Amino acid sequence: MFKRLLIANRGEIAVRIIRACQELGIETVAVYSDADYDALHVQLADVAYHLGPAPAENSYANAAAVVAVAKMANADAIHPGYGFLSENADFAEMVQQSGLVFVGPRAETIRKVGNKDAARTAMSQAGLPMAQGSAPSTDAAELSKMAEVIGYPVILKPASGGGGNGISAAYSRKELLQAVEKVASSSPCFLEKYITDARHIEVQIVADNYGHVIHLGERECSLQRRNQKLLEEAPSSGLTATMRQKVGELAVRAAKSVHYTNVGTVEFLMDKNSGDFYFMEINPRIQVEHGITEAITGIDLIKTQIQLATGEPLSLQQEDVTFSGHAIECRINAEDPELGFLPSPGKIGFYHQPGGPNVRVDSGVCTGSTVHPYYDSLIAKLIVHAKTRGDAIRVMKRALAEFRIEGIKTTVAFHREMLNDPAFCSGDIDTQFVAKRMIS
């Protein structure tokens, strides 16, 4: 086991990793920018080192600076969390070449799945189902011609990158050309047939360094705005037992085809009308929503990441994984839903998070914390777990009613409204649910 681990991140995920390390007996090294000198993760870590100015490129995303601090702090390993450097193959390679352990997949795997076109090719060869698509291009005329072959609507996706950035749906040539002008003029993009009535299903995978891969079930991630997730559930209310087995097997096949190691997620679109799954991408990192999988399986994914990174074999077989109850996560963002989810930075004057039975909060803030405009607006994740989906909804409503955050705007009230929607309560959701029902 590692003696000391550096966390190349901030906010709630840094706090989450610190807690896992404390339970494993590992010392933690935090890093921080000028703006985060008094942040919660800095206060909770064993030691903390200043990285640089507030913009991420000068601090948390500065690969050379992060590795230099890790060496200076005598760390054995670096955990990247999510975002920033977590999907940067060059960084993973730099960590390894420096004699440190990168807590995540191998650099060559990150590189392979990070390019969406290359990943699609690899998955197609592995026999995963694909929505009809095109080769990547920056040429508007070429992409327009491809769209005519595929048939509208289509979705335009950057060949690299993640987090839903740069993705645009187009229902006509005019809309496609507008999207291409914004995105594809600077980087290659490809097209896929846009499945309008779809659910976003992702499967948690776990793999050791010796070729053993299992899945920990699926998560429903359909509730989004501008391709950014707002609320997630595990398991999905839209899958039958047969569909659940099928998508789990597809995810394991995908992971094995690229010799995946450590923890990751395979994402699919599910056509609500046919029940067919279509491969989207592999995320080679821990996901924001990992907590709901932990809730229904009892498996600590951060500890698992660290243990696998030390070279431990995976002790679980697929048949050893059991699922219990239903879990829901609401992302509490510093945003104003009434103003189109504009960020709402500022100082938190009062912060009280809910508690009680079946409630978990992963947070990176407290009373007096400052939410800065330089970083992602996520400040906390509210996770509940209950015997049934209906019970989980009731626990979540109670927890949201107890959440108090003053001084900034947040998405708490928005989540309350969403959980009172009859269609949501019935489980009749898709990727357009928020846009159609909750945003005027």
Side-chain angles (χ1 to χ4, degrees):
M1 188 57 68
F2 304 125
K3 179 181 179 182
R4 177 173 280 198
L5 180 144
L6 181 140
I7 302 158
N9 219 297
R10 65 183 300 279
E12 67 84 16
I13 189 60
V15 173
R16 170 72 183 89
I17 297 167
I18 288 169
R19 288 171 173 158
C21 286
Q22 288 173 337
E23 293 181 19
L24 290 170
I26 300 172
E27 295 177 359
T28 54
V29 181
V31 290
Y32 61 93
S33 67
D34 289 348
D36 278 341
Y37 72 95
D38 60 348
L40 187 59
H41 74 283
V42 174
Q43 299 177 46
L44 295 180
D46 292 297
V47 293
Y49 289 83
H50 176 249
L51 271 180
E57 61 269 21
N58 295 324
S59 50
Y60 300 105
N62 185 334
V66 170
V67 172
V69 168
K71 297 286 285 185
M72 181 170 58
N74 294 316
D76 306 303
I78 296 178
H79 195 308
Y82 54 73
F84 296 131
L85 296 168
S86 63
E87 297 179 74
N88 188 316
D90 293 340
F91 174 65
E93 203 164 60
M94 185 186 302
V95 171
Q96 185 179 9
Q97 290 173 351
S98 300
L100 304 170
V101 176
F102 179 77
V103 182
R106 300 183 184 98
E108 57 266 30
T109 304
I110 298 174
R111 199 168 277 122
K112 183 179 293 185
V113 303
N115 182 291
K116 291 184 174 62
D117 184 57
R120 277 177 57 88
T121 300
M123 294 303 107
S124 180
Q125 292 172 349
L128 268 76
M130 300 282 173
Q132 186 180 0
S134 74
S137 175
T138 57
D139 185 81
E142 185 178 4
L143 288 167
S144 179
K145 187 182 295 184
M146 293 174 183
E148 296 295 335
V149 174
I150 295 169
Y152 289 98
V154 295
I155 189 162
L156 181 76
K157 294 183 176 182
S160 60
N165 296 318
I167 296 176
S168 299
Y171 288 79
S172 66
R173 183 175 184 274
K174 180 181 179 181
E175 290 183 0
L176 176 62
L177 293 177
Q178 290 173 341
V180 170
E181 186 177 356
K182 290 180 182 177
V183 182
S185 59
S186 57
S187 61
C189 288
F190 64 94
L191 298 174
E192 284 183 348
K193 179 66 178 176
Y194 185 34
I195 304 168
T196 55
D197 198 13
R199 299 178 84 126
H200 185 154
I201 305 294
E202 64 183 28
V203 180
Q204 180 69 61
I205 53 170
V206 180
D208 63 21
N209 296 339
Y210 313 103
H212 183 35
V213 184
I214 63 171
H215 72 83
L216 302 184
E218 87 283 354
R219 297 186 287 254
E220 170 82 57
C221 302
S222 297
L223 295 172
Q224 311 171 3
R225 54 108 179 105
R226 296 195 296 274
N227 301 307
Q228 298 292 317
K229 300 165 187 172
L230 293 166
L231 179 150
E232 301 96 356
E233 303 181 63
S236 167
S237 61
L239 271 60
T240 63
T242 300
M243 295 163 73
R244 182 163 291 118
Q245 180 179 353
K246 178 181 179 180
V247 76
E249 291 172 350
L250 287 172
V252 169
R253 188 194 305 173
K256 287 183 175 180
S257 73
V258 293
H259 307 291
Y260 197 92
T261 57
N262 211 265
V263 162
T265 305
V266 185
E267 305 207 4
F268 299 87
L269 273 183
M270 187 196 86
D271 188 322
K272 286 178 66 177
N273 298 315
S274 66
D276 293 331
F277 294 98
Y278 297 97
F279 171 81
M280 291 174 62
E281 63 181 342
I282 296 179
N283 284 310
R285 55 175 168 80
I286 194 72
Q287 292 279 86
V288 173
E289 58 273 17
H290 72 274
I292 53 175
T293 295
E294 293 179 327
I296 66 169
T297 63
I299 296 170
D300 188 311
L301 285 167
I302 303 295
K303 286 183 183 177
T304 300
Q305 278 191 295
I306 295 169
Q307 290 162 342
L308 291 172
T310 67
E312 288 187 24
L314 187 59
S315 60
L316 289 172
Q317 301 296 319
Q318 189 63 60
E319 56 268 24
D320 297 328
V321 181
T322 58
F323 302 97
S324 174
H326 195 94
I328 301 174
E329 172 183 284
C330 288
R331 298 192 186 196
I332 309 303
N333 296 334
E335 298 173 349
D336 189 346
E338 295 183 358
L339 293 177
F341 293 92
L342 281 176
S344 178
K347 188 171 183 177
I348 297 176
F350 179 76
Y351 179 87
H352 171 77
Q353 62 187 37
N358 305 315
V359 174
R360 163 180 163 182
V361 181
D362 285 8
S363 173
V365 299
C366 57
T367 297
S369 293
T370 298
V371 178
H372 299 287
Y374 318 109
Y375 310 114
D376 185 87
S377 61
L378 178 68
I379 57 174
K381 302 181 311 196
L382 175 56
I383 301 163
V384 303
H385 180 225
K387 188 174 182 180
T388 67
R389 185 174 188 267
D391 290 340
I393 290 173
R394 284 184 281 275
V395 175
M396 181 62 82
K397 287 181 179 179
R398 185 262 295 173
L400 286 166
E402 190 180 333
F403 223 138
R404 297 286 188 276
I405 306 174
E406 298 177 4
I408 59 172
K409 298 287 187 180
T410 74
T411 53
V412 169
F414 174 84
H415 284 297
R416 290 178 190 157
E417 181 184 350
M418 187 153 54
L419 266 71
N420 282 318
D421 188 291
F424 170 82
C425 292
S426 73
D428 183 19
I429 58 177
D430 55 47
T431 55
Q432 298 303 306
F433 181 91
V434 173
K436 289 179 178 178
R437 297 183 66 88
M438 304 196 66
I439 300 177
S440 56

